[in-house]
Amino acid sequence: MSSSSVIDFVSSSPILHDETSNKSIEIPDPPSLNVTHISTTNTTTTNNNNKSNASHNSEDDSETDDETVPMNITFHWLDEQMRAGVDLRPLLSRILPGLPNDVSQSSLFQLLMDIFLPVQQRQPLEQYKTLDDAVELIRKSKKILVLTGAGISVSCGIPDFRSRNGIYARLREEFPELPNPQSMFDIEYFTHDPRPFFRFAKEIWPGQHEPSLAHYFIAELERRDQLLRNYTQNIDSLEHLCSIKRLIQCHGSFSTSTCRRCQNRVSSDEIKHEILQQIMPHCTKCSKTVQNAILKPDIVFFGEPLPEDFHKTISVDKDKCDLLIVMGSSLKVKPVSLVSELLPAHIPQILINRERLPHKSFDIELLGNCDVIINELCLRLAKYEPSFGDIKRLNHRNEQLMNEILYDKIRISMQQQKKKKQKLSYHTTNDASVPKERLSSLRPRIFKPPMIQSSSSSSSSRKRPFSSLKNSPLFNQNSSYISYPPRRYLFAGAEIFFSSSDDDGSDDDLPRKHTE
């Protein structure tokens, strides 16, 4: 698809795409900002310093180099600086001399969080390891904090971001001029070229999709007064359709849109037609000649602060929570990804996701499609709490629970199949009844010349994706799951690799011997 045909632009906009030359407009360097004084004192002092130093020239700004780099930075403090429009470059340039001038404010913000807020992995709790433990935790916990990402909306028809066929992968093809797919959500890039974002917005615009089983599961937890809060990174607003009230939309939503020039705010319904027709939504209160009067949906872009209610609620909820469930999120975007580290170490944590999160440490990992896993949990919970059996979109499957298959059995089965194929190949090539000319013609297909491979490619060649087991006589993804003791369970949709080799110690997903 040609990127120039995606959206019709307002003729007066300075972000026009050159239709004749089919060349993308070069993104200029970000405008220079006045350097402000950075202080670790209270917010009032910081804001006063911002105002008093806004008129400082470059000589006055150089005095900030003499300041002591604050070492007690929190992500709340960093977010306050971004909210106040503080230029973080002076602080970061003292830590990283030679910092390029063209680094965006959002990148500076992310760098500072990486430096001052490194992820501290917790140690898994020994008392919680099994699927039964997960059921008991959900059943008995009274203050459950659920953190959700795009993975819970995939079954609704909304693509996720980082999978092989996700939004980022497709945007990379449609808009090769994007520095990287995440630039779609960079406020500076949006200012100069909003086309990629509005191309994405069409797919996810509210009113086109229905909530998933995972959404209704969270709503049931709230109905039972077990939900402390649902912190969602999603911007699809599906939580509203199943009436989740204890909700924090960490990255905003499409529910409203605001003019970039006059701050006029409208509901999503007022610009739905333009979005679905891929027409740039221009503010009706601004003249057509006003540049950049675009109605931007009220979602949080890189370079914009998180909603204030996120900081207010998480500072309280972290001390009330008695169980954390992470569903359908890669937990790669700070500061929301830090929630799992903010909780006390003794609070149990469950992961429900297609893939593992190596940078995090959970007590129980349930890997696969979120709805498949939630369905199994609900059927198990319904034996104790019948209301879980009445959740909308639940697949009862004749009330039969899935069968558990140990990973060791799968591994042995894979080895036996491999040996059987090797034996069959040997007998076929040594059968005297096969004419010599026919045997000769088979050689190129059966005997392949050795190939020199790197250690990484050699190890990966002995791996097979989890999806390859769908035809296994031992495993049926519709009626069984695989357990890998002591903490990991694999369901349909898991993005993980198996190995059929005894001596393969390179399989990071499923190592031959368990080590924690």
Side-chain angles (χ1 to χ4, degrees):
M1 178 186 297
S2 172
S3 60
S4 62
S5 64
V6 175
I7 291 181
D8 296 329
F9 281 85
V10 178
S11 58
S12 60
S13 174
I15 51 176
L16 279 172
H17 188 74
D18 190 340
E19 299 285 354
T20 57
S21 64
N22 199 30
K23 293 181 180 179
S24 303
I25 296 175
E26 182 179 354
I27 304 303
D29 292 335
S32 58
L33 303 175
N34 291 327
V35 179
T36 55
H37 180 72
I38 296 179
S39 171
T40 55
T41 56
N42 59 43
T43 305
T44 303
T45 305
T46 301
N47 291 336
N48 289 337
N49 286 337
N50 294 341
K51 295 178 181 178
S52 64
N53 289 312
S55 60
H56 280 188
N57 58 27
S58 58
E59 292 181 1
D60 294 331
D61 294 335
S62 64
E63 293 178 0
T64 60
D65 292 336
D66 298 329
E67 297 291 332
T68 302
V69 177
M71 299 306 294
N72 59 339
I73 290 179
T74 64
F75 76 82
H76 192 180
W77 181 88
L78 284 171
D79 195 63
E80 283 181 340
Q81 308 312 301
M82 180 171 286
R83 193 182 299 277
V86 176
D87 186 1
L88 300 174
R89 191 178 303 276
L91 173 60
L92 193 55
S93 61
R94 293 200 298 274
I95 304 169
L96 301 173
L99 186 70
N101 293 327
D102 59 351
V103 179
S104 67
Q105 284 294 310
S106 59
S107 297
L108 294 175
F109 181 70
Q110 190 68 37
L111 279 171
L112 280 169
M113 285 196 293
D114 289 339
I115 293 172
F116 287 100
L117 305 173
V119 173
Q120 301 292 331
Q121 281 202 355
R122 64 190 284 276
Q123 292 298 315
L125 302 175
E126 288 301 316
Q127 64 268 40
Y128 306 115
K129 296 181 178 180
T130 68
L131 183 59
D132 289 337
D133 291 336
V135 171
E136 282 300 297
L137 283 169
I138 296 172
R139 177 190 170 197
K140 295 181 178 180
S141 297
K142 301 299 182 184
K143 300 290 183 181
I144 302 175
L145 193 157
V146 182
L147 198 162
T148 53
I152 71 167
S153 297
V154 172
S155 63
C156 308
I158 299 176
D160 63 0
F161 288 90
R162 293 178 172 83
S163 67
R164 295 182 187 91
N165 298 315
I167 291 169
Y168 285 162
R170 288 190 286 112
L171 280 175
R172 189 178 292 110
E173 295 181 0
E174 295 184 31
F175 298 95
E177 64 271 22
L178 273 174
N180 58 71
Q182 291 89 335
S183 298
M184 171 183 67
F185 291 115
D186 189 291
I187 192 61
E188 293 180 10
Y189 192 92
F190 177 88
T191 300
H192 298 291
D193 188 358
R195 294 173 304 124
F197 170 76
F198 281 108
R199 173 64 182 85
F200 152 77
K202 177 183 178 180
E203 298 188 32
I204 200 174
W205 201 258
Q208 303 179 94
H209 306 279
E210 295 292 329
S212 67
L213 173 60
H215 289 100
Y216 286 113
F217 169 72
I218 299 170
E220 175 62 18
L221 291 178
E222 182 177 61
R223 193 195 68 79
R224 295 175 55 82
D225 200 26
Q226 289 183 268
L227 180 69
L228 173 62
R229 203 87 57 195
N230 176 198
Y231 288 82
T232 181
Q233 296 173 287
N234 296 340
I235 53 180
D236 50 37
S237 301
L238 291 176
E239 294 84 5
H240 296 299
L241 297 183
C242 50
S243 302
I244 298 175
K245 305 297 183 185
R246 300 173 189 174
L247 176 69
I248 298 295
Q249 294 175 295
C250 305
H251 295 156
S253 74
F254 281 105
S255 298
T256 58
S257 297
T258 303
C259 176
R260 300 270 289 153
R261 292 302 298 267
C262 73
Q263 304 305 307
N264 173 42
R265 178 170 290 183
V266 301
S267 70
S268 61
D269 290 337
E270 294 183 48
I271 62 173
K272 179 178 180 179
H273 176 75
E274 285 88 344
I275 297 299
L276 298 184
Q277 295 298 318
Q278 291 289 269
I279 300 172
M280 194 69 65
H282 191 88
C283 178
T284 56
K285 289 192 175 182
C286 292
S287 169
K288 291 293 185 179
T289 60
V290 176
Q291 296 181 348
N292 246 1
I294 298 173
L295 289 166
K296 169 190 167 292
D298 293 329
I299 66 173
V300 178
F301 277 52
F302 297 120
E304 293 184 311
L306 266 64
E308 184 64 29
D309 58 358
F310 169 78
H311 298 295
K312 289 180 179 179
T313 54
I314 194 60
S315 62
V316 176
D317 289 350
K318 65 183 178 63
D319 297 320
K320 292 183 178 180
C321 171
D322 58 5
L323 172 64
L324 171 66
I325 301 177
V326 174
M327 287 200 291
S329 175
S330 62
L331 292 187
K332 290 182 178 178
V333 179
K334 292 180 181 179
V336 178
S337 64
L338 298 175
V339 168
S340 59
E341 279 75 39
L342 289 175
L343 302 181
H346 69 277
I347 302 300
Q349 299 188 13
I350 299 173
L351 173 67
I352 301 176
N353 200 42
R354 280 186 172 180
E355 59 184 354
R356 298 187 61 215
L357 306 184
H359 60 297
K360 300 288 183 177
S361 182
F362 292 91
D363 302 306
I364 304 169
E365 296 180 359
L366 308 178
L367 306 181
N369 294 329
C370 290
D371 281 0
V372 172
I373 296 169
I374 293 298
N375 200 91
E376 181 68 11
L377 290 174
C378 287
L379 292 179
R380 291 170 180 262
L381 287 164
K383 293 184 178 296
Y384 307 98
E385 308 291 344
S387 65
F388 282 104
D390 299 326
I391 295 179
K392 190 173 180 179
R393 298 193 68 171
L394 185 69
N395 180 3
H396 289 270
R397 290 195 308 257
N398 299 321
E399 307 299 333
Q400 292 296 317
L401 299 181
M402 286 186 167
N403 300 318
E404 179 175 300
I405 301 176
L406 290 174
Y407 168 66
D408 281 345
K409 287 187 177 180
I410 289 286
R411 181 172 60 87
I412 293 172
S413 174
M414 292 164 66
Q415 292 170 2
Q416 290 174 344
Q417 290 178 7
K418 182 179 179 181
K419 291 177 180 178
K420 188 179 297 184
K421 288 181 179 179
Q422 290 175 342
K423 186 176 181 180
L424 179 61
S425 174
Y426 175 80
H427 285 297
T428 300
T429 57
N430 287 275
D431 190 347
S433 64
V434 179
K436 291 184 178 180
E437 59 274 12
R438 184 178 170 192
L439 182 61
S440 176
S441 66
L442 289 175
R443 283 195 183 113
R445 183 164 57 90
I446 295 177
F447 298 103
K448 296 182 179 180
M451 297 178 63
I452 299 177
Q453 297 177 323
S454 64
S455 57
S456 59
S457 63
S458 175
S459 62
S460 64
S461 67
R462 293 195 294 269
K463 298 179 184 179
R464 64 182 71 185
F466 179 78
S467 59
S468 67
L469 298 179
K470 63 184 179 181
N471 296 323
S472 169
L474 186 63
F475 173 74
N476 185 328
Q477 63 178 0
N478 296 319
S479 60
S480 57
Y481 62 87
I482 298 172
S483 65
Y484 185 81
R487 304 180 183 276
R488 200 172 306 155
Y489 295 83
L490 310 176
F491 295 77
E495 294 184 359
I496 201 164
F497 285 87
F498 285 94
S499 174
S500 58
S501 173
D502 271 333
D503 58 355
D504 183 9
S506 63
D507 192 338
D508 295 331
D509 283 334
L510 291 173
R512 195 60 35 232
K513 293 183 179 179
H514 177 74
T515 57
E516 282 200 272

